[in-house]
PDB file of all heavy atoms in Angstrom:
ATOM      1  N   VAL U 114      93.878 106.200  81.861  1.00  0.00           N
ATOM      2  CA  VAL U 114      94.754 105.255  81.193  1.00  0.00           C
ATOM      3  C   VAL U 114      93.893 104.113  80.650  1.00  0.00           C
ATOM      4  O   VAL U 114      93.044 103.581  81.359  1.00  0.00           O
ATOM      5  CB  VAL U 114      95.807 104.705  82.188  1.00  0.00           C
ATOM      6  CG1 VAL U 114      96.678 103.665  81.543  1.00  0.00           C
ATOM      7  CG2 VAL U 114      96.634 105.849  82.751  1.00  0.00           C
ATOM      8  N   PRO U 115      94.088 103.748  79.391  1.00  0.00           N
ATOM      9  CA  PRO U 115      93.280 102.663  78.820  1.00  0.00           C
ATOM     10  C   PRO U 115      93.458 101.350  79.586  1.00  0.00           C
ATOM     11  O   PRO U 115      94.550 101.057  80.096  1.00  0.00           O
ATOM     12  CB  PRO U 115      93.822 102.524  77.391  1.00  0.00           C
ATOM     13  CG  PRO U 115      94.595 103.764  77.131  1.00  0.00           C
ATOM     14  CD  PRO U 115      95.039 104.298  78.454  1.00  0.00           C
ATOM     15  N   ASP U 116      92.393 100.558  79.676  1.00  0.00           N
ATOM     16  CA  ASP U 116      92.475  99.240  80.316  1.00  0.00           C
ATOM     17  C   ASP U 116      93.502  98.385  79.596  1.00  0.00           C
ATOM     18  O   ASP U 116      93.597  98.393  78.371  1.00  0.00           O
ATOM     19  CB  ASP U 116      91.111  98.539  80.276  1.00  0.00           C
ATOM     20  CG  ASP U 116      90.101  99.191  81.212  1.00  0.00           C
ATOM     21  OD1 ASP U 116      90.531  99.835  82.188  1.00  0.00           O
ATOM     22  OD2 ASP U 116      88.892  99.041  80.952  1.00  0.00           O
ATOM     23  N   GLY U 117      94.270  97.653  80.380  1.00  0.00           N
ATOM     24  CA  GLY U 117      95.264  96.763  79.799  1.00  0.00           C
ATOM     25  C   GLY U 117      96.482  97.469  79.232  1.00  0.00           C
ATOM     26  O   GLY U 117      97.259  96.861  78.499  1.00  0.00           O
ATOM     27  N   TRP U 118      96.641  98.745  79.575  1.00  0.00           N
ATOM     28  CA  TRP U 118      97.779  99.514  79.064  1.00  0.00           C
ATOM     29  C   TRP U 118      99.080  98.862  79.515  1.00  0.00           C
ATOM     30  O   TRP U 118      99.309  98.656  80.704  1.00  0.00           O
ATOM     31  CB  TRP U 118      97.695 100.946  79.566  1.00  0.00           C
ATOM     32  CG  TRP U 118      98.850 101.815  79.180  1.00  0.00           C
ATOM     33  CD1 TRP U 118      99.207 102.182  77.925  1.00  0.00           C
ATOM     34  CD2 TRP U 118      99.801 102.427  80.061  1.00  0.00           C
ATOM     35  NE1 TRP U 118     100.319 102.987  77.957  1.00  0.00           N
ATOM     36  CE2 TRP U 118     100.707 103.154  79.266  1.00  0.00           C
ATOM     37  CE3 TRP U 118      99.981 102.438  81.434  1.00  0.00           C
ATOM     38  CZ2 TRP U 118     101.755 103.884  79.788  1.00  0.00           C
ATOM     39  CZ3 TRP U 118     101.032 103.162  81.962  1.00  0.00           C
ATOM     40  CH2 TRP U 118     101.916 103.874  81.144  1.00  0.00           C
ATOM     41  N   PRO U 119      99.965  98.526  78.571  1.00  0.00           N
ATOM     42  CA  PRO U 119     101.240  97.909  78.936  1.00  0.00           C
ATOM     43  C   PRO U 119     102.235  98.980  79.405  1.00  0.00           C
ATOM     44  O   PRO U 119     102.866  99.651  78.589  1.00  0.00           O
ATOM     45  CB  PRO U 119     101.710  97.242  77.641  1.00  0.00           C
ATOM     46  CG  PRO U 119     101.071  98.052  76.555  1.00  0.00           C
ATOM     47  CD  PRO U 119      99.779  98.590  77.132  1.00  0.00           C
ATOM     48  N   ASP U 120     102.340  99.160  80.693  1.00  0.00           N
ATOM     49  CA  ASP U 120     103.179 100.200  81.286  1.00  0.00           C
ATOM     50  C   ASP U 120     104.636 100.016  80.831  1.00  0.00           C
ATOM     51  O   ASP U 120     105.266  99.013  81.136  1.00  0.00           O
ATOM     52  CB  ASP U 120     103.082 100.116  82.807  1.00  0.00           C
ATOM     53  CG  ASP U 120     103.721 101.288  83.504  1.00  0.00           C
ATOM     54  OD1 ASP U 120     104.610 101.941  82.920  1.00  0.00           O
ATOM     55  OD2 ASP U 120     103.327 101.566  84.657  1.00  0.00           O
ATOM     56  N   PRO U 121     105.186 101.005  80.105  1.00  0.00           N
ATOM     57  CA  PRO U 121     106.534 100.850  79.539  1.00  0.00           C
ATOM     58  C   PRO U 121     107.655 101.387  80.418  1.00  0.00           C
ATOM     59  O   PRO U 121     108.817 101.381  80.008  1.00  0.00           O
ATOM     60  CB  PRO U 121     106.441 101.692  78.263  1.00  0.00           C
ATOM     61  CG  PRO U 121     105.564 102.830  78.683  1.00  0.00           C
ATOM     62  CD  PRO U 121     104.530 102.196  79.598  1.00  0.00           C
ATOM     63  N   ARG U 122     107.334 101.851  81.618  1.00  0.00           N
ATOM     64  CA  ARG U 122     108.337 102.573  82.402  1.00  0.00           C
ATOM     65  C   ARG U 122     109.587 101.759  82.712  1.00  0.00           C
ATOM     66  O   ARG U 122     110.694 102.280  82.594  1.00  0.00           O
ATOM     67  CB  ARG U 122     107.724 103.111  83.690  1.00  0.00           C
ATOM     68  CG  ARG U 122     106.788 104.271  83.421  1.00  0.00           C
ATOM     69  CD  ARG U 122     106.186 104.786  84.685  1.00  0.00           C
ATOM     70  NE  ARG U 122     104.995 104.024  85.006  1.00  0.00           N
ATOM     71  CZ  ARG U 122     104.140 104.375  85.948  1.00  0.00           C
ATOM     72  NH1 ARG U 122     104.349 105.453  86.677  1.00  0.00           N
ATOM     73  NH2 ARG U 122     103.069 103.640  86.180  1.00  0.00           N
ATOM     74  N   ARG U 123     109.461 100.529  83.099  1.00  0.00           N
ATOM     75  CA  ARG U 123     110.650  99.729  83.443  1.00  0.00           C
ATOM     76  C   ARG U 123     111.480  99.412  82.188  1.00  0.00           C
ATOM     77  O   ARG U 123     112.710  99.449  82.224  1.00  0.00           O
ATOM     78  CB  ARG U 123     110.240  98.460  84.168  1.00  0.00           C
ATOM     79  CG  ARG U 123     109.605  98.788  85.514  1.00  0.00           C
ATOM     80  CD  ARG U 123     109.663  97.665  86.503  1.00  0.00           C
ATOM     81  NE  ARG U 123     108.897  97.943  87.706  1.00  0.00           N
ATOM     82  CZ  ARG U 123     109.181  98.833  88.638  1.00  0.00           C
ATOM     83  NH1 ARG U 123     110.243  99.592  88.511  1.00  0.00           N
ATOM     84  NH2 ARG U 123     108.423  98.995  89.704  1.00  0.00           N
ATOM     85  N   ARG U 124     110.799  99.122  81.093  1.00  0.00           N
ATOM     86  CA  ARG U 124     111.512  98.898  79.827  1.00  0.00           C
ATOM     87  C   ARG U 124     112.266 100.156  79.412  1.00  0.00           C
ATOM     88  O   ARG U 124     113.428 100.101  79.004  1.00  0.00           O
ATOM     89  CB  ARG U 124     110.501  98.514  78.726  1.00  0.00           C
ATOM     90  CG  ARG U 124     110.713  97.178  78.118  1.00  0.00           C
ATOM     91  CD  ARG U 124     109.695  96.795  77.050  1.00  0.00           C
ATOM     92  NE  ARG U 124     108.480  97.561  76.974  1.00  0.00           N
ATOM     93  CZ  ARG U 124     108.133  98.346  75.957  1.00  0.00           C
ATOM     94  NH1 ARG U 124     108.901  98.463  74.904  1.00  0.00           N
ATOM     95  NH2 ARG U 124     107.000  99.009  75.971  1.00  0.00           N
ATOM     96  N   TRP U 125     111.573 101.311  79.495  1.00  0.00           N
ATOM     97  CA  TRP U 125     112.185 102.578  79.125  1.00  0.00           C
ATOM     98  C   TRP U 125     113.402 102.844  80.013  1.00  0.00           C
ATOM     99  O   TRP U 125     114.461 103.259  79.525  1.00  0.00           O
ATOM    100  CB  TRP U 125     111.173 103.720  79.249  1.00  0.00           C
ATOM    101  CG  TRP U 125     111.613 104.989  78.589  1.00  0.00           C
ATOM    102  CD1 TRP U 125     111.308 105.398  77.326  1.00  0.00           C
ATOM    103  CD2 TRP U 125     112.442 106.012  79.156  1.00  0.00           C
ATOM    104  NE1 TRP U 125     111.904 106.616  77.078  1.00  0.00           N
ATOM    105  CE2 TRP U 125     112.603 107.014  78.183  1.00  0.00           C
ATOM    106  CE3 TRP U 125     113.062 106.186  80.383  1.00  0.00           C
ATOM    107  CZ2 TRP U 125     113.353 108.158  78.401  1.00  0.00           C
ATOM    108  CZ3 TRP U 125     113.824 107.330  80.604  1.00  0.00           C
ATOM    109  CH2 TRP U 125     113.953 108.305  79.609  1.00  0.00           C
ATOM    110  N   ARG U 126     113.258 102.588  81.323  1.00  0.00           N
ATOM    111  CA  ARG U 126     114.372 102.785  82.258  1.00  0.00           C
ATOM    112  C   ARG U 126     115.564 101.920  81.873  1.00  0.00           C
ATOM    113  O   ARG U 126     116.702 102.392  81.854  1.00  0.00           O
ATOM    114  CB  ARG U 126     113.938 102.440  83.681  1.00  0.00           C
ATOM    115  CG  ARG U 126     115.109 102.541  84.674  1.00  0.00           C
ATOM    116  CD  ARG U 126     114.947 101.709  85.910  1.00  0.00           C
ATOM    117  NE  ARG U 126     114.706 100.315  85.573  1.00  0.00           N
ATOM    118  CZ  ARG U 126     114.090  99.469  86.389  1.00  0.00           C
ATOM    119  NH1 ARG U 126     113.656  99.860  87.568  1.00  0.00           N
ATOM    120  NH2 ARG U 126     113.907  98.214  86.025  1.00  0.00           N
ATOM    121  N   ASN U 127     115.317 100.650  81.576  1.00  0.00           N
ATOM    122  CA  ASN U 127     116.410  99.743  81.251  1.00  0.00           C
ATOM    123  C   ASN U 127     117.156 100.196  79.992  1.00  0.00           C
ATOM    124  O   ASN U 127     118.398 100.176  79.958  1.00  0.00           O
ATOM    125  CB  ASN U 127     115.891  98.324  81.084  1.00  0.00           C
ATOM    126  CG  ASN U 127     115.378  97.764  82.403  1.00  0.00           C
ATOM    127  OD1 ASN U 127     115.692  98.261  83.482  1.00  0.00           O
ATOM    128  ND2 ASN U 127     114.564  96.733  82.326  1.00  0.00           N
ATOM    129  N   TRP U 128     116.415 100.590  78.971  1.00  0.00           N
ATOM    130  CA  TRP U 128     117.064 101.090  77.761  1.00  0.00           C
ATOM    131  C   TRP U 128     117.813 102.394  78.052  1.00  0.00           C
ATOM    132  O   TRP U 128     118.899 102.627  77.528  1.00  0.00           O
ATOM    133  CB  TRP U 128     116.051 101.300  76.640  1.00  0.00           C
ATOM    134  CG  TRP U 128     115.563 100.017  76.048  1.00  0.00           C
ATOM    135  CD1 TRP U 128     114.281  99.531  76.086  1.00  0.00           C
ATOM    136  CD2 TRP U 128     116.331  99.043  75.339  1.00  0.00           C
ATOM    137  NE1 TRP U 128     114.212  98.324  75.448  1.00  0.00           N
ATOM    138  CE2 TRP U 128     115.458  97.996  74.977  1.00  0.00           C
ATOM    139  CE3 TRP U 128     117.667  98.954  74.974  1.00  0.00           C
ATOM    140  CZ2 TRP U 128     115.883  96.873  74.268  1.00  0.00           C
ATOM    141  CZ3 TRP U 128     118.100  97.842  74.271  1.00  0.00           C
ATOM    142  CH2 TRP U 128     117.209  96.818  73.929  1.00  0.00           C
ATOM    143  N   ASN U 129     117.232 103.254  78.880  1.00  0.00           N
ATOM    144  CA  ASN U 129     117.891 104.505  79.226  1.00  0.00           C
ATOM    145  C   ASN U 129     119.198 104.244  79.973  1.00  0.00           C
ATOM    146  O   ASN U 129     120.197 104.938  79.748  1.00  0.00           O
ATOM    147  CB  ASN U 129     116.975 105.408  80.054  1.00  0.00           C
ATOM    148  CG  ASN U 129     117.602 106.755  80.282  1.00  0.00           C
ATOM    149  OD1 ASN U 129     117.796 107.525  79.351  1.00  0.00           O
ATOM    150  ND2 ASN U 129     117.959 107.041  81.527  1.00  0.00           N
TER     151      ASN U 129
END
Side-chain angles (χ1 to χ4, degrees):
V114 177
D116 289 336
W118 176 64
D120 190 336
R122 288 180 274 191
R123 295 203 188 291
R124 241 179 345 114
W125 194 94
R126 176 204 55 204
N127 293 342
W128 287 116
N129 186 66

